[in-house]
């Protein structure tokens, strides 16, 4: 249907008939055919401008313009980005691309006016192919620029959209288009998007100018239809398998984690639905497996899982991630070969084995198998010779200043407030402690922690006095884990308990653990299958106490990874992102606000489904829950996840870690003042809240402007009904009626994507990189006096402790993954850079002032946090051997820094 240059020289009268008699009905009906009819109209203009038949030309000019005489010569500069690392085939394609663009046959650009064309009743159109190179080439080695020249009537109006068609054989990465010579000055169409080849998809792409945000009711008339059209394209039909070049956003359940066609052991239940509720993920539409029609077939590495094209990693990020994967591969290669050369995977036998990971790398056992596997040994030597630096681990922050800090009780407690998982500690508000599980299945509900046991540790206080003074706290994983403990302990090499840990805040302001309760499922002979541990004062009880704490840390690591990290940030953010693209036009002010906070999340989540949370993946292989990991995550979602409680102040109040206090800036006062995560988090939360409220006020100052915004209402309804359908009827979902409602919802989303994720992600290697501090699984139960292994424990307590931890292969695999997940990419975009990012895409001076104030506020926050880290009174963030708490510092450089808040969940 696209007219060629030759066809444009046909008789003008027949062209007019074609437009007015044949194309007019298509224009009225709309849809995708409408874009083609618009192009034909612009081709009429091209013929008009060629000078044929003056009388008819005047007639058509009256139909297709407002009647004003004269034209404007307009130039559009198109900026494309090339690959940084090109293969020979890429370079050949680049030459062909340059040739096709040089002769004007590569990329078609159509300018769409914000004004209505009286004939088409849609925006006026002018079109041109890009041609040749600009006379001044780009200074950037990976950027190329082309130009397209247009002649438009002077009354054409301001371009509000561009339709771009890529006739090349490959996709292109469009950075931006800048249109010159209109009275308003340069008009920017910042894109940073992939434009598919027409051979993959005949539909053209719509790019809106993004200097001005428009609510749906404010959309200029010339581009209203295109706004609706673009959202329809993005939503797709919900059918068929998605192709890698597409940009379609839709929902699905987690039915792609197992691989039953490969092995029965890799079959996994569907996650998402009435039985196992869960947030939804991005639909890929792959065919079902042969053995299970409800399971989606898998794509294994190195083949990519579909995400909408613009959600994929850019090249710098991809290189950083690939380097991390290479590092993980090399880290795991050594113990893997060691396990091959030995009879089985081996435990750490002494603490020196662990130290060697940081000092010397890993050394092979010199046993009889070495000679039988000389090829493997020689291969390993070669790997060492070329990659020795990659095979050594950096010393984790937790032992860098004090290698024995992890052994101390106060460090164990400190990490509940300032570690990588500071979001599970709760105030103990009732005693006795009672389970909510069914006693018919799980035994008597009362905890084995008694009043006498507690009061031995309270320095003269009664339990009631300690509770009233808010001095008793608990880490309670009992109800969350006990239903799964029996199944977990049937897995090879796994032994776990459901744990409760009681902590006491002393009069000196120090938090310390006082009692650990470890529970197993009840048996006929032991209906109260619970054990109590205290720190004791002799060597035997000391080692037993350390084993009990290690089991608590293992539970903490699993809940951190599966619930607080994966579920509450990664998985819950995914439906917000999908709904934002499906319902909010890129012109919508709320889309613009959220856009920096959605970067890379769908891609990292797809990679996680491919190799981290999948059946047989890293999480199952190296964390206590094993194959039941995602079932535990689903159970946690069912029992405890609430959108409104994801607000930091609400979460702190829910856990009893803060109380309402109208005299405080955010209306809350911390129960423990020296709670670094909460104290710093409230600063970040406050800055985000202030920023969002000012932004929303700017666009929604009119009465009923929130309820009348059809895109916004559709967005929020779909988040509940399709993004979280298993909880769509819960009464706690916020209403979306006022600008205050909207500000509250957006503040939660931005906090989750930025501050919350940073606080529980980037400390993974600094805290977990030393296995004894934070084992991800335990392989042995704590020996009892009547156990055959007890005598060996008495003789070799260190060996028993280490043999209970992950094996060398499991430990190094987790360390490698944690190292990758804790790494900032060189192209990371941080929270304090919002103003810098918006300067290139927003021309609203008030919005720029709002973002500038936000960034200035974050600079103040960073200064405040740095000062807190120097305050000797704050023992949880300063002191001998104590690493400063920097996870909520806004800025960071690349690498594993244990600081910095990216805008989005990007790793």
């Amino acid at each position: 249907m696209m007219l060629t240059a030759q066809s444009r020289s046909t008789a003008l009268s027949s062209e007019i008939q074609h437009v007015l008699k044949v194309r007019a009905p298509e224009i009225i009906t709309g849809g995708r055919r409408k874009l083609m009819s618009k192009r034909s109209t612009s081709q009429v203009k091209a013929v008009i401008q060629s000078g044929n038949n003056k009388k008819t030309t005047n007639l058509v000019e009256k139909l297709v313009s407002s009647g004003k005489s004269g034209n404007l010569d307009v130039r559009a500069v198109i900026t494309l980005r090339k690959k940084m690392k090109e293969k020979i085939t890429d370079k050949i394609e680049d030459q062909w691309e340059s040739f096709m663009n040089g002769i004007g046959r590569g990329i078609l650009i159509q300018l769409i006016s914000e004004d209505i064309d009286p004939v088409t009743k849609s925006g006026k159109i002018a079109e041109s192919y890009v041609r040749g190179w600009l006379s001044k080439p780009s200074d950037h080695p990976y950027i190329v620029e082309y130009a397209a020249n247009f002649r438009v009537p002077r009354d054409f109006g301001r371009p509000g959209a561009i339709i771009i068609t890529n006739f090349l054989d490959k996709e292109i990465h469009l950075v931006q288009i800048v249109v010159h010579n209109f009275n308003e000055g340069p008009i920017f169409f910042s894109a940073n998007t992939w434009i598919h080849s027409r051979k993959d998809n005949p539909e053209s792409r719509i790019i809106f100018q993004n200097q001005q945000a428009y609510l749906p009711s404010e959309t200029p008339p010339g581009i209203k239809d295109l706004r609706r059209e673009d959202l329809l394209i993005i939503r797709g039909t919900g059918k068929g398998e998605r192709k890698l070049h597409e940009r379609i956003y839709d929902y699905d359940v987690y039915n792609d984690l197992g691989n039953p066609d490969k092995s029965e052991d890799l079959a996994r239940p569907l996650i998402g639905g009435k039985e196992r509720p869960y947030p939804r993920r991005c639909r890929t539409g792959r065919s079902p497996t042969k053995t299970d029609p409800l399971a989606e077939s898998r794509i294994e590495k190195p083949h990519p899982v579909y995400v909408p094209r613009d959600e994929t990693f850019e090249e710098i990020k991809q290189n950083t991630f690939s380097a991390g994967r290479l590092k993980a591969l090399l880290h795991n290669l050594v113990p893997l070969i060691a396990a091959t050369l030995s009879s089985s995977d081996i435990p750490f036998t002494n603490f020196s084995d662990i130290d060697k990971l940081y000092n010397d790398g890993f050394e092979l056992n010199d046993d009889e198998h070495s000679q039988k596997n000389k090829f493997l040994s020689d291969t390993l030597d070669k790997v060492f010779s070329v990659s020795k630096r990659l095979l050594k681990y950096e010393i984790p922050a937790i032992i860098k200043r004090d290698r024995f800090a992890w052994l101390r009780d106060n460090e164990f407690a400190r990490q509940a407030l300032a570690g990588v998982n500071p979001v599970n500690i709760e105030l103990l508000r009732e005693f006795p402690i009672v389970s909510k599980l069914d006693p018919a299945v799980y035994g008597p509900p009362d905890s084995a922690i008694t009043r006498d046991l507690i009061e031995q540790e309270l320095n003269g206080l009664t339990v009631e006095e300690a509770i009233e003074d808010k001095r008793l706290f608990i880490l309670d994983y009992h109800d969350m884990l006990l239903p799964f403990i029996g199944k977990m302990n049937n897995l090879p090499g796994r032994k776990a308990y459901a744990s409760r840990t009681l902590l006491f805040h002393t009069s000196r302001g120090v938090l310390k653990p006082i009692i650990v309760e470890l529970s197993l499922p009840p048996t006929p002979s032991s209906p109260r299958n619970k054990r109590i541990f205290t720190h004791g004062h002799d060597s035997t009880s000391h080692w037993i106490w350390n084993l009990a704490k290690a089991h608590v840390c293992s539970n903490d690591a699993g809940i951190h990874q599966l619930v607080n990290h994966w579920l509450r940030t990664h998985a819950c953010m995914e439906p917000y992102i999908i709904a934002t693209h499906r319902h909010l036009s890129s012109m919508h002010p709320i889309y613009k606000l959220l856009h920096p906070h959605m970067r890379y999340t769908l891609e990292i989540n797809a990679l996680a489904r491919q190799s981290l949370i999948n059946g047989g993946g890293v999480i199952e292989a190296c964390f206590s829950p094993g194959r039941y990991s995602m079932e535990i995550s689903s159970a946690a979602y069912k029992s405890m996840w609430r959108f409104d409680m994801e607000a930091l102040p609400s979460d702190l109040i829910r856990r009893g870690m803060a109380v309402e206090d109208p005299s405080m800036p955010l209306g809350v006062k911390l129960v423990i003042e020296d709670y670094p995560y909460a104290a710093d988090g409230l600063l970040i939360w406050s800055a985000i809240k202030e920023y969002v409220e000012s932004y929303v006020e700017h666009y929604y100052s009119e009465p009923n402007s929130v309820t009348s915004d059809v895109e916004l209402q559709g967005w929020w309804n779909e988040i509940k009904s399709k993004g979280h359908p298993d909880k769509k009827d819960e009464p706690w979902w916020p209403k979306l009626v006022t600008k205050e409602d909207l500000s509250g919802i957006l503040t939660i989303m931005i906090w989750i994507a930025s501050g919350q994720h940073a606080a529980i992600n980037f400390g993974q290697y600094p805290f977990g990189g030393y296995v004894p501090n934070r084992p991800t699984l335990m392989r042995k139960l704590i020996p009892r006096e009547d156990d055959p292994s007890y005598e060996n424990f008495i003789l070799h307590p260190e060996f028993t402790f280490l043999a209970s931890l992950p094996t060398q292969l499991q430990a190094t695999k987790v360390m490698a993954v944690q190292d990758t997940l804790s790494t900032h990419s060189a192209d990371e975009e941080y929270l304090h850079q919002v103003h810098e990012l918006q300067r290139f895409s927003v021309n609203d001076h008030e919005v720029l002032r709002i973002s500038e104030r936000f960034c200035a506020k974050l600079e103040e926050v960073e200064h405040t946090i740095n000062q807190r880290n120097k305050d000797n009174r704050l023992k949880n963030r300063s002191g001998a051997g104590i690493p400063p708490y920097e996870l909520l510092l806004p800025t960071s450089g690349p690498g594993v820094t244990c600081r910095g808040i990216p805008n989005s969940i990007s790793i």
Side-chain angles (χ1 to χ4, degrees), residues 433-496:
I433 303 166
V434 179
S435 170
K436 295 179 181 178
L437 297 175
D438 184 356
V441 178
Y442 300 105
D446 287 356
S447 167
I449 300 175
T450 65
R451 181 185 306 276
D452 289 342
L453 283 170
I454 298 174
E455 290 182 350
Q456 290 175 23
E457 306 291 338
L458 297 188
N459 300 328
L461 291 177
T462 65
V463 169
E464 287 74 18
E465 288 171 337
I467 290 176
E468 185 178 352
D469 291 347
K470 296 181 173 54
R471 304 271 294 276
L472 282 175
F473 299 85
I474 190 170
L475 287 169
D476 193 347
Y477 301 129
H478 179 276
D479 286 10
M480 196 177 295
L481 291 178
L482 190 61
F484 297 91
I485 291 295
K487 295 187 290 186
M488 289 163 54
N489 287 346
N490 284 330
L491 297 172
R494 308 291 169 94
K495 295 299 176 185

Side-chain angles (χ1 to χ4, degrees), residues 94-321:
D94 285 345
Q95 294 298 319
W96 177 249
E97 175 186 309
S98 297
F99 173 73
M100 293 299 290
N101 286 327
I103 63 173
R105 288 295 179 269
I107 302 171
L108 177 67
I109 303 293
Q110 295 173 296
L111 301 183
I112 314 297
S113 171
E114 293 180 348
D115 295 344
I116 288 287
D117 186 309
V119 173
T120 67
K121 306 302 181 184
S122 298
K124 301 174 185 178
I125 302 178
E127 74 173 30
S128 173
Y129 280 88
V130 301
R131 286 183 181 274
W133 294 92
L134 284 178
S135 57
K136 183 180 179 182
S138 168
D139 295 330
H140 197 291
Y142 310 117
I143 295 294
V144 292
E145 294 176 327
Y146 295 96
N149 296 311
F150 304 82
R151 176 164 291 180
V152 302
R154 289 190 178 276
D155 64 346
F156 181 81
R158 175 186 172 87
I162 286 177
I163 299 175
I164 182 168
T165 310
N166 174 17
F167 289 95
L168 302 170
D169 289 336
K170 66 171 187 176
E171 64 180 3
I172 57 176
H173 191 275
L174 177 65
V175 178
Q176 69 173 9
I177 299 174
V178 184
V179 182
H180 298 272
N181 295 348
F182 280 96
N183 292 335
E184 299 90 337
I187 300 172
F188 289 83
F189 294 78
S190 295
N192 283 315
T193 185
W194 290 94
I195 307 294
H196 58 263
S197 169
R198 199 166 186 269
K199 73 175 185 178
D200 292 325
N201 181 359
E203 298 289 348
S204 302
R205 275 292 304 279
I206 304 167
I207 308 294
F208 296 103
Q209 70 82 18
N210 58 349
Q211 291 174 286
Q212 180 69 42
Y214 294 110
L215 295 173
S217 61
E218 299 169 344
T219 310
I223 56 176
K224 265 188 176 179
D225 290 344
L226 290 181
R227 182 168 183 156
R228 287 192 292 266
E229 178 87 9
D230 192 47
L231 288 174
L232 288 174
I233 292 171
I234 287 172
R235 292 172 196 169
T237 63
K239 300 178 181 179
E241 181 175 350
R242 299 273 62 85
K243 309 302 182 196
L244 293 179
H245 66 267
E246 293 178 329
R247 55 190 285 268
I248 292 175
Y249 297 76
D250 204 355
Y251 304 93
D252 209 343
V253 295
Y254 282 72
N255 60 352
D256 63 339
L257 301 179
N259 195 350
D261 288 349
K262 185 175 182 180
S263 166
E264 283 188 18
D265 288 339
L266 293 177
R268 295 294 180 270
L270 183 150
I271 304 295
K274 186 176 181 180
E275 186 175 353
R276 296 181 184 88
Y278 217 62
R280 296 308 191 252
R281 56 138 176 134
C282 186
R283 181 182 177 276
T284 55
R286 298 191 299 270
S287 59
T289 61
K290 296 176 183 178
T291 53
D292 183 357
L294 296 179
E296 186 175 85
S297 56
R298 284 185 56 77
I299 293 180
E300 305 291 356
K301 291 189 302 184
H303 303 292
V305 175
Y306 168 81
V307 293
R309 186 64 181 96
D310 289 338
E311 304 297 328
T312 57
F313 289 166
E314 294 181 22
E315 200 167 356
I316 293 176
K317 175 70 172 181
Q318 183 62 56
N319 292 341
T320 301
F321 192 77

Side-chain angles (χ1 to χ4, degrees), residues 485-535:
I485 291 295
K487 295 187 290 186
M488 289 163 54
N489 287 346
N490 284 330
L491 297 172
R494 308 291 169 94
K495 295 299 176 185
Y497 301 90
S499 64
R500 290 189 180 103
T501 307
L502 214 58
L503 305 101
F504 177 56
H505 196 231
T506 71
S507 57
R508 295 184 177 182
V510 175
L511 189 67
K512 66 175 186 178
I514 57 174
I515 299 173
V516 169
E517 178 190 64
L518 300 179
S519 301
L520 294 171
T523 64
S525 60
S526 182
R528 289 177 59 86
N529 207 350
K530 305 174 188 295
R531 295 181 66 183
I532 295 294
F533 303 88
T534 58
H535 51 78

Side-chain angles (χ1 to χ4, degrees), residues 1-3 7 10-27 36-37 39-41 43-44 60 119:
M1 296 178 68
M2 189 65 62
L3 296 180
S7 65
T10 56
L12 183 59
S13 59
S14 63
E15 190 70 60
I16 296 169
Q17 279 187 342
H18 186 61
V19 173
L20 299 184
K21 294 182 180 180
V22 179
R23 296 293 186 182
E26 293 184 19
I27 295 169
M36 292 299 162
S37 67
R39 292 173 195 157
S40 297
T41 306
Q43 288 151 2
V44 173
V60 176
V119 173

Side-chain angles (χ1 to χ4, degrees), residues 315-606:
E315 200 167 356
I316 293 176
K317 175 70 172 181
Q318 183 62 56
N319 292 341
T320 301
F321 192 77
S322 297
R325 283 165 56 184
L326 174 62
K327 189 191 297 187
L329 172 65
L330 292 173
H331 278 313
N332 290 320
L333 177 63
V334 183
L336 181 62
I337 294 178
T340 303
L341 299 183
S342 304
S343 58
S344 63
D345 190 13
I346 53 179
F348 294 106
T349 56
N350 54 64
F351 286 97
S352 296
D353 288 344
I354 303 174
D355 293 339
K356 287 178 181 178
L357 295 173
Y358 318 111
N359 301 327
D360 305 323
F362 194 94
E363 294 183 358
L364 283 174
N365 286 343
D366 185 16
D367 60 20
E368 59 186 34
H369 296 276
S370 298
Q371 298 305 316
K372 297 178 183 178
N373 294 276
K374 189 173 186 303
F375 171 74
L376 287 176
S377 298
D378 292 344
T379 302
L380 184 60
D381 288 339
K382 293 177 182 177
V383 171
F384 261 115
S385 66
V386 298
S387 304
K388 189 171 183 179
R389 182 180 63 84
L390 289 177
L391 289 164
K392 289 173 63 176
Y393 289 88
E394 296 295 325
I395 298 175
I398 191 59
I399 60 166
K400 200 166 190 176
R401 298 185 180 202
D402 182 353
R403 62 179 300 191
F404 300 111
W406 66 276
L407 273 169
R408 293 196 298 269
D409 286 353
N410 63 338
E411 178 59 25
F412 173 93
R414 189 189 75 84
Q415 290 183 35
L417 299 171
V420 70
N421 188 40
V423 296
N424 275 110
I425 186 170
E426 298 186 24
L427 181 71
L428 184 67
R429 285 172 278 199
E430 294 181 354
F431 189 84
I433 303 166
V434 179
S435 170
K436 295 179 181 178
L437 297 175
D438 184 356
V441 178
Y442 300 105
D446 287 356
S447 167
I449 300 175
T450 65
R451 181 185 306 276
D452 289 342
L453 283 170
I454 298 174
E455 290 182 350
Q456 290 175 23
E457 306 291 338
L458 297 188
N459 300 328
L461 291 177
T462 65
V463 169
E464 287 74 18
E465 288 171 337
I467 290 176
E468 185 178 352
D469 291 347
K470 296 181 173 54
R471 304 271 294 276
L472 282 175
F473 299 85
I474 190 170
L475 287 169
D476 193 347
Y477 301 129
H478 179 276
D479 286 10
M480 196 177 295
L481 291 178
L482 190 61
F484 297 91
I485 291 295
K487 295 187 290 186
M488 289 163 54
N489 287 346
N490 284 330
L491 297 172
R494 308 291 169 94
K495 295 299 176 185
Y497 301 90
S499 64
R500 290 189 180 103
T501 307
L502 214 58
L503 305 101
F504 177 56
H505 196 231
T506 71
S507 57
R508 295 184 177 182
V510 175
L511 189 67
K512 66 175 186 178
I514 57 174
I515 299 173
V516 169
E517 178 190 64
L518 300 179
S519 301
L520 294 171
T523 64
S525 60
S526 182
R528 289 177 59 86
N529 207 350
K530 305 174 188 295
R531 295 181 66 183
I532 295 294
F533 303 88
T534 58
H535 51 78
H537 300 284
D538 60 88
S539 60
T540 301
S541 60
H542 172 76
W543 276 107
I544 293 287
W545 174 244
N546 283 332
L547 281 168
K549 289 193 298 180
H551 274 279
V552 174
C553 289
S554 174
N555 286 348
D556 191 76
I559 297 302
H560 162 258
Q561 199 65 262
L562 295 168
V563 179
N564 299 325
H565 181 211
W566 171 255
L567 168 64
R568 293 176 61 189
T569 63
H570 285 261
C572 285
M573 196 69 198
E574 185 150 346
Y576 310 153
I577 295 170
I578 296 171
T580 298
H581 284 282
R582 285 168 58 87
H583 281 275
L584 302 183
S585 166
S586 60
M587 291 187 288
H588 198 290
I590 302 306
Y591 177 94
K592 291 179 179 294
L593 177 72
L594 290 176
H595 187 258
H597 307 290
M598 304 188 293
R599 185 176 186 236
Y600 291 155
T601 303
L602 296 191
E603 171 81 341
I604 197 63
N605 285 4

